[in-house]
Amino acid sequence: MAWPKPTISKKQVNKAGKFLVDNPVVNEQSSKAFDVVNHWRSCHGYPINTFQATLRDKLKTIDPKAIVAQRLKRLPSIISKLKRFESMQLARMQDLGGLRAVVANLKKVRTLQNNYTNSKFDHELISSKDYIDNPKASGYRSAHLIYKYKNRNTPEYDGLFVELQIRTRNQHAWATAVETMGTFLDHSLKSSEGPKPWLEFFSLSGSAFAHLEKTTPVPGYESMTREDTFSAVIKKGKELDIREKLMAFTVAAEKIHQDSRRGAFHLVILDLKIRSVTIQSYSQANLDKANKEYGEAEKRMSNGDKIQAVLVSAGPIGDLRRAYPNYFL
C-alpha cells in the first residue's frame, strides 16, 4: 500500500483550514481547500498504523482482549474544533490521527499508560492529559498521550502528531453513548453543546462511573454521595427515556449496516415505542425532498410522536459504519 506523504506546506494547510471555517458553502474554492485538508489528514495514516502495531504488541501481555481502534478525524469535527478554538491552526491540531485502547479496568489503563511513558521511545511525548483523575465537566474520562512522530526510516512523517487514548470499558460505554446520542440529537454533546437535560445526564452518569471505579467525581458533583449520584442518574435517565432511545438506536445501527442501498442522504426514523427503524435514501438531486420529509418527521416529534429522526449525509449506507464506528464497537 502506498501511504500518502506530506507534500503541502503547513502554511497552506492552515490557510485551507481557515478557508473552510469561513466559507461553509461548497464551491470550487472550498473544494480545493478540502483537498488540501484531506491530503494533510490522510498523511497521518502511516504514523497511526505504526503506532497501532506497537500498541497491539504491548497489549498482548497487558490485556489480550482489549479493543483497539484507529481513526482519522472527520472533516465536520475538524471544522467544529477550529471554530471552537479560534487561535488554533490546523497544522498544529494534535488529534487528526488517533488511536484508542479500551481495556478491562483502571489497573490495566495505568499499566499500559506507564508502559508507554517509561519505555524508550523514539517518538516524542509532548502532552499527557489525565481525564480520569481530572475528569471534564461533561463527564468525559480517559487518559491521553500525544506524541510527535519521529522515525529515522521515514523522516518525511516526522513532526506529525498521534493521539493515544486509553480508557476502561465503562469509560468507553459512556463515550459511545454520548457519541450516539449526539449524532441522533444533532448536537455535539461531547463538546458540551446541546440540550441542558442531556448534558446533565451525561455529567451525572460520568460521575457515577467514577464512583464505580473509585476515582475523582466529575466537577460539580463532588459533594454527592455514591448512592445519591446513582439515584440521580436513574431519575434523569427515566425522564429522558434514555434506555429506550439507546436500544432503538442499536436497532438502527444494525439495520443501517445490513442495508445495501445507495444514496447521498439517508433519513433514519426510529419508532421508540415499537423499536423499529425505517431508512429512506435520497439522491443529491432530491435533497429538497429529503429536507421536506425530514421536516415532516420533526413536526411529528414536536407533536408528541415517540420517534427520533435524523437526516444523515454519508454516501452509501454502508459508509455509515465507517463514519460512526462507535455504534459498532
Side-chain angles (χ1 to χ4, degrees), residues 44-62:
H44 291 71
Y46 181 81
I48 295 174
N49 196 62
T50 58
F51 261 76
Q52 180 184 184
T54 302
L55 174 60
R56 289 187 183 278
D57 188 56
K58 291 178 181 293
L59 285 169
K60 287 178 182 177
T61 56
I62 297 172

Side-chain angles (χ1 to χ4, degrees), residues 33-244:
F34 171 77
D35 289 342
V36 171
V37 174
N38 189 47
H39 173 75
W40 177 251
R41 175 180 58 179
S42 65
C43 289
H44 291 71
Y46 181 81
I48 295 174
N49 196 62
T50 58
F51 261 76
Q52 180 184 184
T54 302
L55 174 60
R56 289 187 183 278
D57 188 56
K58 291 178 181 293
L59 285 169
K60 287 178 182 177
T61 56
I62 297 172
D63 189 349
K65 294 183 179 180
I67 296 172
V68 175
Q70 67 180 58
R71 67 99 178 98
L72 294 174
K73 198 174 186 71
R74 297 175 58 243
L75 183 63
S77 298
I78 293 173
I79 294 175
S80 176
K81 190 166 186 177
L82 290 173
K83 286 180 178 178
R84 292 200 312 274
F85 303 99
E86 295 181 6
S87 62
M88 178 177 289
Q89 295 185 316
L90 180 55
R92 298 292 300 171
M93 190 176 287
Q94 297 175 343
D95 60 346
L96 287 182
L99 273 169
R100 178 178 302 144
V102 182
V103 296
N105 52 52
L106 188 58
K107 181 180 179 180
K108 293 184 178 183
V109 167
R110 297 310 188 197
T111 301
L112 181 59
Q113 186 180 12
N114 291 334
N115 188 296
Y116 267 96
T117 56
N118 295 327
S119 297
K120 185 179 180 180
F121 218 31
D122 289 336
H123 311 294
E124 180 187 356
L125 178 63
I126 64 167
S127 177
S128 177
K129 299 177 181 177
D130 193 330
Y131 296 118
I132 299 175
D133 286 344
N134 301 284
K136 292 186 177 183
S138 64
Y140 179 81
R141 299 162 59 249
S142 180
H144 290 199
L145 300 175
I146 298 175
Y147 285 91
K148 184 181 287 187
Y149 190 81
K150 185 178 181 181
N151 188 329
R152 69 182 68 178
N153 297 320
T154 53
E156 59 269 35
Y157 296 105
D158 287 359
L160 296 183
F161 297 109
V162 176
E163 180 188 65
L164 171 61
Q165 298 177 359
I166 309 172
R167 59 176 64 155
T168 66
R169 291 175 185 170
N170 281 342
Q171 292 160 12
H172 185 64
W174 181 94
T176 300
V178 170
E179 187 82 17
T180 303
M181 291 306 307
T183 297
F184 279 93
L185 293 173
D186 196 24
H187 286 285
S188 183
L189 298 177
K190 64 181 181 181
S191 300
S192 297
E193 299 172 3
K196 186 177 179 181
W198 285 99
L199 296 176
E200 288 179 347
F201 171 80
F202 283 114
S203 292
L204 268 170
S205 58
S207 201
F209 279 131
H211 279 293
L212 286 176
E213 295 179 336
K214 297 180 172 59
T215 60
T216 308
V218 170
Y221 302 101
E222 302 96 329
S223 62
M224 293 178 65
T225 66
R226 171 188 171 105
E227 289 72 22
D228 287 344
T229 303
F230 292 170
S231 296
V233 170
I234 293 170
K235 180 181 178 181
K236 182 66 71 173
K238 288 181 178 178
E239 290 174 0
L240 296 172
D241 288 330
I242 191 165
R243 182 178 175 84
E244 290 76 12

